[in-house]
């Protein structure tokens, strides 16, 4: 799954004005367990019963509150007995039968714990051997993207499924873990006129009992988390991917969305064709499934790689050629990521969740790589390193986890879908690929795929394939040093001679923090001028010789997953050269420079000089975040209020001349003739100048554009500017404006306007608006994900965070009680990350009991550490940084 962490939909759940914030899950049965059943499996099942195939026959009417089904599971009973552990969450199971030698044996189904572990008890012991289980049941539709969920869009109801990681058990009784990979036969019974989509092609449609019966072909082997079941009056566009050298016949494809999005699906259809062709060429084999549906929903926080039936947030697919560079970049990266999963994840699936990192890390790397091949003009590839360096901010904490870690309990699974898996994992894959060489790495991937086609595999088997392809036994321990232990390496360079450097590795930590001694096998690549030299640094120190001229670049190409430290003189030389570096190397400089300041080393003047230099780099990824650390320091109070006018003026001095040179017109399509990078740069400049610099003239211009847009002139404002423009407009009109914009947003199904407007309202920084959102708004048109996002925005925004935290703390039990999708509980503590004081970290210590045993426990520990480290940095260097900003002209 690719969450991308789309800001407007990162969290999902229910919020209303009263404390009844989330749909309560059905309570688990607390009655004592029979001794003969054995201990409840907290995570992986014991393989006493192994599924061989499923037949799902579900009746799905999205207008109802519940759906029903008959499920048959062919099983192999390995251990005879009356008790079977399996999965089912919040299901009302009316009948359970086992068919043994043609004779039925009745049973009962009992959910044991809230994660959906269930015990089936049969009236008589089942012998070892082949058996068929049958279940009749009904269950509630979810309101958030977990299990089978439904939503009213416009005048129509739709339902979709989101089953990763362990939410298939909310849709049907199952053995819900990735190692059970079997064929599925699916039948969906729907009201007449509705379309149904599943993983395999629909082979028969007929009418029975006043319902339309959709029968699908048997799937190739799949785990339960990849099963897709979608129903609604969908709009579709259809086509084929033409034959390729790897595939002799056309591949049928569709884009499937809600009615409101009809007319904006052709871009996705054509783009998907190109991505599929590039992926087939890389893997050296045809698309693994007989058809491909690309499906959208308004409330998924990202995308999901269901085999042959991918699911996406509307905004990822719904667009036309006039869409912004940022939206097209997201399309290219996410679609490439999800379709790469069709091979790496669906065709070859992890045996258990401890190897899900390999799925996501490889797909993340492929998403940027293939996206860049599909549309080189969009500069998608540079985003991979931006995401990897961002992950270092989390990985540098002492509280954390390695990419690859044992997962023993269900509560640990969702926490594995984080920036360590995606950002760090993708960067590590890129580093190994760059060190091995592209051809050898690709050959290793192809060998791994061939050996495990339509089956399951482990990280150890992937490492083995890579080592064999590389012909270098050192690759295996080097890879494992990054995947099996947490932390970010710091490579410190010191002059050892006129042409030589002593390089020493250690573990990077922030100011005032201590971490354990750690050693890596670092593929270290240095560059000076045109001379690039790589070595595998396995010892604590080594000496490297470079006989060339120019500044030393300790992370050539930016592909290394490590930070570097330089003597002050060399830092100054490298900073001065930053405007001429490639975008990827400029990102590496920015990350290591910022990290050095966080660690208490580089000076405030050097940090400011780095911002100037980065702002002059032509790459939009590098220049767009040139003042990001300074903005964070201002938001968190490290830069005091007295110096903020000078900080805003500094940002204005960097970027106003650039915007003037580019030219600016807020009207829709005014700059469509520019190349994509130029378009993206202009949007970034507007956001920085209107937001961070608070440029009054620009904000007035945006306010006027919003007035005209909301007044009915759709051409008055380009959608790429929604965020900056709505922020400026709400700064003018405050609570009254928020109420007007809310009404406009809820009357719209536009996948860009609605979330942008609601996000701006939540992030307005206006105290009256924040209180209105969390204590008073009860509009039934608001979706549960939208309601919960208001909490996220209010707490994260500096001007409202103190009040927002008090509100969150008072409602924390309710916030944690609902089944709101894969990322809700795991990421809830992230919204506290803008606090910056030792005292506040001590306050957050008191939340540990609330998160104990939940997927958000690790994220809370990370947040506490970040807030405490920020507080120590503020105490030690806040005055210095404030003084450096205050003296800027």
């Amino acid at each position: 799954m690719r969450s991308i962490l789309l800001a407007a939909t990162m969290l999902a759940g229910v919020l209303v004005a009263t404390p009844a914030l989330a749909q309560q899950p059905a309570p688990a049965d607390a009655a004592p367990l029979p001794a003969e059943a054995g201990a409840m499996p907290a995570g992986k099942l014991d393989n006493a019963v192994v599924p061989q195939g499923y037949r799902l026959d579900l009746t799905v009417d999205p207008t109802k509150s519940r759906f029903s089904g008959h499920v048959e599971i062919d099983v192999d009973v390995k251990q005879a007995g009356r008790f079977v552990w399996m999965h089912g969450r919040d299901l009302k199971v009316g009948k359970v039968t086992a068919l043994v030698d043609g004779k039925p044996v009745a049973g009962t189904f009992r959910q044991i714990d809230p994660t959906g572990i269930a015990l089936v008890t049969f009236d008589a012991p089942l012998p070892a051997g082949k058996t068929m289980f049958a279940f009749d049941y009904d269950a509630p539709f979810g309101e958030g993207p977990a299990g089978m969920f439904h939503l009213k869009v416009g005048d129509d109801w739709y339902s979709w499924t989101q089953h990763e990681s362990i939410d298939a058990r909310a849709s049907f009784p199952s053995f819900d873990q990735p190692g059970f990979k079997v064929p599925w036969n699916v039948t969906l019974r729907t009201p007449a006129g509705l379309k149904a989509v599943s993983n395999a092609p629909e082979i028969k449609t007929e009418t029975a009992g006043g319902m339309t019966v959709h029968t699908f072909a048997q799937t190739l082997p799949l785990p339960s988390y990849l099963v897709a079941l979608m129903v609604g009056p969908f709009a579709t566009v259809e086509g084929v991917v033409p034959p390729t050298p790897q595939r002799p016949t056309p591949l049928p494809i569709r884009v499937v969305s809600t009615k409101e999005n009809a007319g904006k699906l052709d871009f996705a259809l054509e783009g998907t064709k190109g991505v599929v062709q590039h992926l087939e060429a890389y893997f050296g084999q045809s698309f693994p499934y007989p058809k491909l549906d690309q499906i959208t929903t308004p409330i998924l926080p990202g995308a999901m790689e269901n085999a042959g039936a991918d699911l996406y947030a509307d905004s990822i697919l719904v667009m036309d050629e006039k869409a912004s560079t940022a939206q097209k970049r997201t399309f290219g990266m996410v679609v490439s990521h999800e379709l790469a999963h069709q091979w790496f994840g669906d065709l070859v699936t992890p045996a258990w969740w401890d190897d899900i990192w390999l799925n996501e890390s490889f797909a993340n790397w492929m998403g940027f790589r293939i996206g860049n091949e599909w549309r080189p003009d969009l500069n998608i590839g540079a985003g991979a390193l931006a995401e990897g360096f961002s992950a270092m901010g989390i990985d540098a904490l002492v509280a954390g986890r390695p990419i690859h870690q044992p997962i023993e309990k269900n509560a640990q699974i969702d926490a594995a879908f984080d920036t360590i898996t995606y950002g760090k994992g993708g960067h590590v894959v890129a580093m190994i690929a760059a060190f091995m060489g592209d051809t050898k790495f690709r050959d290793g991937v192809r060998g791994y795929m061939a050996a495990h086609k339509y089956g399951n595999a482990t990280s150890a088997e992937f490492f083995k394939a890579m080592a064999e392809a590389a012909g270098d036994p050192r690759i295996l321990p080097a890879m494992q040093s990054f995947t099996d232990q947490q932390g970010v390496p710091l490579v410190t360079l010191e002059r050892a001679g006129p042409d030589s450097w002593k390089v020493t590795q250690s573990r990077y930590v922030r100011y005032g923090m201590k971490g354990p001694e750690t050693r890596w096998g670092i593929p270290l690549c240095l560059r000076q001028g045109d001379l690039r030299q790589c070595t595998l640094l396995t010892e604590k120190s080594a000496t490297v010789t470079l006989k060339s001229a120019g500044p030393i670049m300790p992370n050539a190409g930016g592909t290394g997953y490590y930070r570097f430290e330089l003597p002050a003189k060399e830092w100054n030389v490298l900073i001065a050269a930053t405007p001429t570096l490639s975008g990827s190397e400029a990102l590496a400089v920015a990350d290591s420079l910022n990290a050095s300041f966080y660690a208490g080393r580089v000076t405030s003047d050097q940090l400011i000089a780095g911002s100037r230099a980065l702002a002059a780099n032509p790459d939009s990824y590098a220049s767009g975040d040139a003042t990001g650390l300074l903005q964070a320091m201002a938001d968190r109070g490290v830069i005091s209020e007295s110096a903020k006018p000078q900080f805003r003026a500094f940002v204005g001095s960097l970027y106003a001349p650039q915007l003037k040179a580019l030219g600016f017109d807020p009207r829709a399509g005014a700059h469509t003739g520019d190349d994509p990078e130029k378009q993206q740069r202009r949007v970034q400049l507007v956001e920085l100048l209107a937001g961070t610099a608070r440029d009054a003239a620009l904000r007035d211009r945006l306010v006027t554009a919003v007035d005209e847009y909301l007044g009915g002139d759709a051409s008055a404002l380009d959608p790429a500017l929604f965020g900056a423009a709505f922020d400026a407009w709400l700064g003018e009109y405050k609570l009254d404006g928020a109420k007007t914009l809310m009404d406009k947003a809820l009357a719209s199904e536009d996948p860009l306007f609605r979330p942008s407007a609601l996000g701006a309202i939540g992030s307005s920084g206006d105290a009256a608006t924040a209180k209105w959102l969390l204590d008073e708004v009860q509009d039934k048109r608001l979706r549960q994900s939208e309601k919960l996002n208001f909490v996220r925005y209010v707490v994260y925004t500096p001007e409202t965070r103190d009040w927002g935290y008090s509100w969150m703390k008072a409602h924390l039990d309710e916030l944690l009680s609902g089944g709101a999708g894969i990322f809700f509980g795991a990421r809830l503590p992230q919204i506290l990350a803008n606090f910056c004081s030792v005292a506040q970290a001590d306050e957050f210590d008191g939340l540990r009991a609330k998160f104990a045993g939940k997927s958000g426990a690790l994220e809370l520990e990370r947040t506490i550490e970040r807030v405490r480290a920020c507080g120590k940095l503020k105490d030690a260097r806040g005055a210095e940084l404030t003084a450096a900003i205050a003296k800027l002209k």
Side-chain angles (χ1 to χ4, degrees):
M1 180 177 185
R2 172 65 185 177
S3 168
I4 304 288
L5 306 190
L6 300 171
T9 54
M10 187 179 75
L11 301 177
V14 172
L15 292 182
V16 294
T18 68
L21 300 177
Q23 179 181 347
Q24 299 292 324
D29 190 335
L33 294 174
E36 307 95 303
M40 181 191 77
K44 189 184 294 188
L45 299 177
D46 61 6
N47 287 6
V49 176
V50 178
Q52 305 296 304
Y54 288 76
R55 288 173 294 280
L56 305 183
D57 190 334
L58 307 186
T59 299
V60 181
D61 181 349
T63 68
K64 307 296 185 184
S65 61
R66 301 179 72 86
F67 61 95
S68 61
H70 174 79
V71 175
E72 297 178 353
I73 312 174
D74 296 324
V75 300
D76 186 1
V77 178
K78 302 290 187 180
Q79 297 178 17
R82 294 178 56 221
F83 302 98
V84 176
W85 289 103
M86 54 183 301
H87 297 115
R89 190 176 72 229
D90 303 342
L91 308 178
K92 183 180 179 182
V93 180
K95 184 179 181 181
V96 180
T97 306
L99 198 63
V100 180
D101 295 329
K103 298 179 181 179
V105 178
T108 58
F109 183 96
R110 175 184 167 196
Q111 181 179 339
I112 302 301
D113 90 329
T115 69
I117 300 171
L119 179 66
V120 178
T121 303
F122 289 99
D123 291 350
L126 305 181
K130 306 298 183 183
T131 302
M132 188 270 284
F133 293 168
F135 302 87
D136 291 314
Y137 72 103
D138 63 85
F141 283 105
E143 301 301 323
M148 184 175 287
F149 61 99
H150 70 163
L151 185 71
K152 189 176 185 181
V153 182
D155 295 326
D156 299 296
W157 284 87
Y158 300 81
S159 69
W160 301 265
T161 52
Q162 166 56 37
H163 287 152
E164 191 176 36
S165 58
I166 56 171
D167 288 327
R169 62 193 64 179
S171 294
F172 43 79
S174 55
F175 295 84
D176 187 20
Q177 58 191 50
F180 295 137
K181 194 171 181 182
V182 299
W184 298 71
N185 289 87
V186 173
T187 300
L188 294 175
R189 301 171 187 270
T190 73
L194 299 189
K195 295 177 181 177
V197 182
S198 190
N199 304 91
E202 188 171 352
I203 57 174
K204 185 171 65 174
T205 305
E206 56 190 345
T207 300
M211 304 287 280
T212 300
V213 182
H214 307 265
T215 303
F216 298 88
Q218 186 180 72
T219 72
L220 292 160
L222 298 176
S224 52
Y225 81 88
L226 292 175
V227 172
L229 310 164
M230 322 299 192
V231 172
F234 294 113
T236 62
V237 293
E238 302 183 16
V240 297
V241 185
T244 63
Q246 298 80 28
R247 176 176 38 79
T249 59
L251 174 69
I253 64 171
R254 292 187 300 182
V255 181
V256 180
S257 191
T258 58
K259 287 180 179 179
E260 284 71 13
N261 296 328
K264 281 194 171 185
L265 306 179
D266 289 338
F267 182 93
L269 183 70
E270 295 305 312
T272 296
K273 294 178 185 178
V275 171
V276 168
Q277 291 168 324
H278 283 289
L279 285 165
E280 288 181 326
Y282 184 85
F283 287 115
Q285 57 180 286
S286 66
F287 187 81
Y289 303 100
K291 61 88 178 174
L292 172 62
D293 287 318
Q294 300 276 75
I295 309 154
T296 84
T297 176
I299 63 170
L300 190 73
M304 178 63 208
E305 67 270 18
N306 306 310
D310 283 1
L311 184 64
Y312 301 83
D314 279 354
S315 60
I316 298 173
L317 297 191
V318 180
M319 69 186 81
D320 55 28
E321 192 54 49
K322 296 178 182 178
S324 69
T325 298
Q327 195 179 9
K328 290 176 183 175
R329 281 177 174 175
T330 298
F331 172 89
M333 189 277 158
V334 180
V335 169
S336 298
H337 175 115
E338 300 307 331
L339 295 185
H341 271 313
Q342 301 291 304
W343 286 267
F344 210 101
D346 297 5
L347 179 68
V348 180
T349 304
W352 178 242
W353 295 110
D354 52 3
D355 284 321
I356 197 63
W357 75 269
L358 183 56
N359 255 24
E360 300 300 343
S361 299
F362 179 83
N364 218 47
W365 176 73
M366 284 291 283
F368 288 106
R369 177 200 172 98
I370 297 299
N372 209 62
E373 289 183 5
W374 167 68
R375 285 284 300 268
D377 61 314
L378 294 173
N379 192 25
I380 293 171
L385 298 181
E387 189 168 328
F389 288 124
S390 178
M392 289 184 188
I394 297 296
D395 197 26
L397 300 172
V398 177
R401 67 174 189 86
I403 302 174
H404 183 214
Q405 66 174 135
I407 292 180
E408 298 173 349
K409 298 180 180 180
N410 287 328
Q412 298 173 312
I413 296 171
D414 285 355
F417 292 85
D418 65 359
T419 192
I420 297 301
T421 290
Y422 291 93
K424 178 181 181 177
H427 202 137
V428 168
V429 169
M431 177 175 65
I432 298 298
F435 188 78
M436 285 178 60
D438 192 65
T439 300
K440 286 185 177 180
F441 184 81
R442 182 205 64 195
D443 290 347
V445 169
R446 290 180 175 181
Y448 168 79
M449 302 297 295
H452 304 286
K453 190 173 184 179
Y454 296 114
N456 297 87
T458 66
S459 296
E461 289 163 323
F462 178 75
F463 291 148
K464 180 174 180 290
M466 290 297 106
E468 290 174 351
D472 185 346
R474 300 178 304 163
I475 290 292
L476 179 57
M479 291 178 71
Q480 290 176 318
S481 75
F482 281 90
T483 61
D484 292 358
Q485 58 187 4
Q486 74 173 101
V488 179
L490 176 68
V491 176
T492 301
L493 280 74
E494 303 172 84
R495 282 282 185 185
D499 299 316
S500 62
W501 295 85
K502 180 183 178 182
V503 293
T504 303
Q505 65 162 295
S506 60
R507 178 167 173 166
Y508 173 85
V509 291
R510 294 186 177 190
Y511 178 83
M513 311 304 289
K514 293 183 179 180
E517 288 290 328
T518 312
R519 185 78 58 82
W520 290 267
I522 304 173
L524 178 66
C525 291
L526 288 76
R527 183 185 62 78
Q528 191 173 27
D530 294 330
L531 180 62
R532 175 189 173 107
Q533 184 166 315
C534 296
T535 186
L536 191 63
L537 180 63
T538 56
E539 300 300 321
K540 183 175 180 62
S541 298
T543 300
V544 178
T545 300
L546 280 174
K547 295 183 178 181
S548 188
I552 184 78
M553 178 58 208
N555 190 349
T559 56
Y561 188 81
Y562 54 85
R563 287 170 164 167
F564 58 82
E565 189 63 80
L566 290 167
K569 179 181 177 181
E570 277 72 21
W571 258 130
N572 292 338
V573 173
L574 182 58
I575 288 169
T578 297
T580 64
L581 296 178
S582 68
S584 56
E585 288 189 343
L587 286 169
V589 170
D591 174 75
S592 287
L593 184 67
N594 292 348
S596 185
F597 180 80
Y598 269 125
R601 288 187 284 268
V602 300
T603 67
S604 296
D605 287 338
Q606 287 176 307
L607 184 66
I608 293 167
S611 292
R612 290 188 190 276
L614 281 162
N617 189 283
D619 182 87
S620 62
Y621 291 99
S623 57
D625 197 38
T627 58
L629 178 59
L630 292 176
Q631 178 67 66
M633 296 296 96
D635 287 345
R636 293 165 190 169
V638 180
I639 298 174
S640 71
E641 288 295 325
S642 63
K644 286 184 180 178
Q646 290 92 336
F647 170 62
R648 290 192 287 270
F650 170 67
V651 174
S653 71
L654 293 181
Y655 295 120
Q658 295 186 26
L659 184 60
K660 183 177 180 180
L662 284 178
F664 172 61
D665 184 340
R667 296 186 68 80
H671 300 291
T672 52
D674 290 345
D675 66 73
E677 186 76 1
K678 190 174 182 180
Q679 292 180 40
Q680 176 66 6
R681 187 75 191 113
R682 181 182 290 104
V683 172
Q684 290 175 331
L685 291 170
V686 171
E687 291 172 345
L688 287 161
L689 289 168
T692 303
R694 315 297 288 181
D695 184 292
L698 180 58
R699 287 174 70 86
D700 286 345
R701 195 171 179 188
L702 292 172
V703 168
T704 298
V706 177
D707 282 335
E708 295 172 356
Y709 181 85
L710 297 180
D713 182 2
S715 67
L717 181 63
D718 194 288
L721 302 171
F722 279 166
F726 295 150
D727 174 72
W729 191 82
L730 289 167
E732 178 74 17
Y733 294 109
K734 307 295 183 184
L735 178 58
D736 288 342
K739 292 179 178 179
T740 297
L741 191 57
M742 173 82 79
D743 191 62
K744 294 279 189 181
L746 297 186
S748 172
E749 295 294 345
D750 185 282
L752 292 182
F753 170 70
R754 180 173 175 138
S756 296
L758 296 179
I761 294 168
S763 303
S764 71
D766 178 63
T769 299
K771 190 175 189 308
W772 171 69
L773 284 177
L774 300 191
D775 281 343
E776 299 178 34
V777 174
Q778 299 188 53
D779 196 306
K780 293 182 179 180
R781 295 173 294 175
L782 272 169
R783 294 161 186 158
Q784 57 175 326
S785 56
E786 294 167 340
K787 295 170 186 176
L788 184 57
N789 272 331
F790 287 147
V791 179
R792 171 182 172 274
Y793 295 133
V794 167
V795 179
Y796 199 75
T797 301
E799 295 84 357
T800 54
R801 67 180 166 218
D802 290 330
W803 182 85
Y805 170 64
S806 296
W807 191 98
M808 171 186 162
K809 187 177 179 182
H811 296 84
L812 190 57
D813 287 339
E814 294 89 350
L815 289 170
L816 289 172
S817 65
I822 180 174
F823 295 116
F824 168 53
R827 297 210 170 107
L828 182 60
Q830 287 180 356
I831 68 177
L832 304 174
N834 245 358
F835 286 94
C836 181
S837 76
V838 174
Q840 195 66 57
D842 292 342
E843 156 72 18
F844 295 160
D845 286 343
L847 301 180
R848 285 192 172 101
K850 298 288 187 182
F851 284 88
K854 296 181 171 65
S855 58
L858 174 58
E859 200 58 54
L860 178 63
E861 295 302 318
R862 287 169 169 164
T863 297
I864 292 171
E865 183 181 339
R866 293 175 78 177
V867 171
R868 179 168 284 116
C870 184
K872 290 183 177 181
L873 182 72
K874 179 180 178 180
D875 294 342
R877 306 199 67 182
E880 170 204 336
L881 182 58
T882 295
I885 294 292
K887 71 182 182 182
L888 291 173
K889 302 296 185 182

